[in-house]
Amino acid sequence: MAARGEFSSRMAFVLAASGSAIGLGNIWGFPIKVASNGGGAFVFTYVVLTFLLAYPILMAELVIGRHAKSDTVRSLVKISSPGTKPLAFLTGYWGILTASLILSFYAIVAGWMIAFGLGSAADLFGANQYSEWLTKFSLERNLVFVTIFYVLTIGIVANGVAAGIEKWSTRLMPTLILLILALIAYISTQDGAGEGWRVYLQPDFSRVLNPDLLISALGQAFFSLSLGVGTMMVYGSYISKSENLPRLGATVAVMDIGIAFMAGLLVIPAVYVAQTNGVTIYNEAGALIDSDGLIFNVLPALFETMGAAGVIVSLVFFTLMTIAALTSSISMLEVPVAHAQESHGLSRKAAAWFVGAVILTVSVVIVFNFSTLFTLVIDLTTKYSEPLIGILFCLFAGWVWKRNELLKELQQGQPDMENSLFWKIWPAYVRVVCPVIVLAVFMHSFGLLNL
Ligand code: TRP
């Protein structure tokens, strides 16, 4: 078998894993959830949950992956005893299925981002008849752009870890950060931005423990760190044994929160600038317009009020969205592709194009049955599968895997691990705290437990 791929440096891993974590979840999902959950309270709860619950699970995935250095199914099997092997298979395949289904809806949204970006480019050149088609919801438009987005994603993954994922993540992530900063700078010069920052940054602490807010924040924390499908496990499997894992994991978590926070600094004030410019930002019920209305109606309406500058701002914004989506979608596709390659002997190129084509087919089915399938697939994967698989990953790291082997793995790259704060706290966390809390929040969402 050919040598396994590996990230060429610490920086390469951090950029690739942050590239996975930072995506539409940060720049699209996070501000929308902030808007629909009353501003700062959501930001506060989300940050706390990320460190308390999501970071420990991220570590479970990274450490299992780096230990086994294999695709997710084989990695879980490798740390199992004979008795738990069936559960390892089940968890691994469930993760692969979930990663694929997440890609199948994510790519549709990403396609819209490309279309809106091209729409602004068309406006720039005065080709308004095209921009109308590009920014209007239609079956044809959705089919064309979802396919384009798959070709980009597959093209990168087909080139493997170093020449594909790493190369593009290290190019695209710094670009993304620069674009966000430029947009924040621009928005801050506009009337109304201050009001947006106030709503965003002043938490109403009475709402912090609101059960709906908690569930929403937990789901966001999982989705945003790409947890509960095996993405971080496969990326972990490409980390060199000389790296300090807890530190790498913390860097990725901080980057992820940081960019979500910056996206909020951009999008929430933008909504209030829009209001100042006469765009409707509240719905009939008096709440802020959320869901896709925020990104695809309010923001474009805002850009329109900005005249010539608005076209450029819009182009930059949707380019940013496309880049963020691409470095995430490659990490989703990597989960089934690594499995096809390592467990079933396909070449990387064949695996990427074959698996990619199968998942594209699923997307096409969703596009044709949009009103019934789109939200259903999002809910099934992100509300249910991810948290449940996350718990299973914790059980594997905390109970199935032998504790001294786990320690040995962590000591690679950090010889004094046994005396570290991480080792004092984390094992109990993955064994007990994370599964119990995730399960409690999860049962609450089913109405089985009143929090
Ligand atoms: N974290 C990405 C975002 O915020 C999405 C993502 C990438 C993801 N890989 C994943 C979500 C795996 C769940 C599972 O947009």
Side-chain angles (χ1 to χ4, degrees):
M1 199 175 83
R4 276 196 102 236
E6 189 167 279
F7 290 118
S8 66
S9 68
R10 179 178 312 164
M11 191 63 180
F13 166 77
V14 168
L15 287 176
S18 310
S20 165
I22 296 163
L24 299 176
N26 302 58
I27 308 176
W28 187 48
F30 179 73
I32 288 173
K33 290 193 169 180
V34 172
S36 48
N37 284 288
F42 183 86
V43 182
F44 177 82
T45 310
Y46 164 72
V47 171
V48 172
L49 285 184
T50 297
F51 281 111
L52 241 51
L53 286 177
Y55 171 70
I57 299 178
L58 169 67
M59 287 311 304
E61 289 203 31
L62 291 181
V63 71
I64 293 175
R66 191 184 62 173
H67 172 74
K69 291 234 164 251
S70 195
D71 69 279
T72 49
V73 176
R74 286 185 168 209
S75 293
L76 290 167
V77 167
K78 198 162 171 184
I79 59 167
S80 294
S81 60
T84 54
K85 276 206 173 108
L87 187 63
F89 274 106
L90 178 88
T91 310
Y93 279 112
W94 188 8
I96 288 176
L97 180 69
T98 306
S100 309
L101 286 176
I102 290 179
L103 177 58
S104 74
F105 75 75
Y106 201 86
I108 297 174
V109 182
W112 298 340
M113 301 297 172
I114 303 182
F116 269 74
L118 286 179
S120 328
D123 280 338
L124 199 58
F125 294 104
N128 300 40
Q129 69 277 33
Y130 296 112
S131 69
E132 193 169 321
W133 182 78
L134 288 164
T135 56
K136 215 171 114 229
F137 193 96
S138 72
L139 187 67
E140 297 76 21
R141 197 252 344 231
N142 291 349
L143 286 176
V144 168
F145 285 95
V146 78
T147 309
I148 293 178
F149 187 75
Y150 271 94
V151 171
L152 295 175
T153 304
I154 297 171
I156 294 177
V157 171
N159 282 323
V161 180
I165 295 173
E166 171 179 327
K167 181 162 127 195
W168 284 96
S169 301
T170 44
R171 285 179 183 177
L172 294 176
M173 289 312 289
T175 316
L176 179 138
I177 293 174
L178 287 178
L179 293 184
I180 288 202
L181 287 175
L183 287 175
I184 294 179
Y186 179 75
I187 259 315
S188 65
T189 65
Q190 304 287 304
D191 285 342
E195 170 66 5
W197 280 324
R198 198 188 55 73
V199 170
Y200 183 55
L201 297 174
Q202 265 183 6
D204 169 2
F205 282 103
S206 67
R207 295 189 61 158
V208 159
L209 287 178
N210 175 304
D212 294 332
L213 187 150
L214 269 176
I215 286 167
S216 177
L218 180 73
Q220 178 65 21
F222 263 82
F223 187 80
S224 193
L225 269 179
S226 309
L227 300 179
V229 303
T231 281
M232 287 300 178
M233 200 179 286
V234 215
Y235 273 25
S237 79
Y238 304 135
I239 302 179
S240 135
K241 292 280 186 194
S242 59
E243 297 293 347
N244 176 329
L245 282 185
R247 204 164 55 208
L248 282 186
T251 313
V252 173
V254 168
M255 294 272 288
D256 185 42
I257 290 185
I259 300 284
F261 188 75
M262 281 166 61
L265 284 180
L266 170 67
V267 175
I268 304 291
V271 172
Y272 284 85
V273 174
Q275 187 190 30
T276 311
N277 292 3
V279 177
T280 316
I281 64 166
Y282 294 102
N283 58 23
E284 282 120 46
L288 271 185
I289 292 177
D290 53 25
S291 178
D292 21 325
L294 189 71
I295 299 288
F296 295 114
N297 299 331
V298 175
L299 291 188
L302 164 67
F303 300 144
E304 234 162 71
T305 63
M306 294 175 168
V311 179
I312 299 191
V313 173
S314 172
L315 179 62
V316 173
F317 180 76
F318 288 108
T319 308
L320 169 82
M321 287 291 207
T322 306
I323 292 177
L326 195 55
T327 53
S328 296
S329 63
I330 54 181
S331 77
M332 296 168 201
L333 184 58
E334 180 62 20
V335 178
V337 166
H339 178 69
Q341 190 189 3
E342 295 188 41
S343 290
H344 300 288
L346 268 70
S347 74
R348 159 121 329 223
K349 284 209 159 39
W353 286 100
F354 174 72
V355 174
V358 172
I359 307 177
L360 167 62
T361 313
V362 178
S363 293
V364 169
V365 172
I366 297 179
V367 167
F368 273 105
N369 302 277
F370 193 82
S371 55
T372 35
L373 287 184
F374 185 66
T375 355
L376 181 71
V377 176
I378 295 184
D379 283 351
L380 279 180
T381 51
T382 61
K383 279 202 186 138
Y384 305 114
S385 288
E386 282 193 81
L388 284 177
I389 300 173
I391 296 181
L392 287 167
F393 286 161
C394 285
L395 299 181
F396 274 97
W399 299 88
V400 172
W401 198 2
K402 292 197 193 68
R403 196 180 151 93
N404 58 341
E405 295 217 354
L406 175 61
L407 177 62
K408 251 198 273 166
E409 180 58 41
L410 283 165
Q411 279 168 334
Q412 309 209 40
Q414 192 182 354
D416 62 345
M417 176 49 85
E418 219 174 338
N419 304 314
S420 69
L421 187 64
F422 182 81
W423 186 249
K424 288 200 180 77
I425 299 176
W426 181 74
Y429 244 88
V430 277
R431 282 173 82 100
V432 184
V433 180
C434 292
V436 167
I437 298 185
V438 175
L439 205 62
V441 175
F442 185 72
M443 281 167 62
H444 172 96
S445 77
F446 263 138
L448 297 174
L449 179 76
N450 244 329
L451 284 179

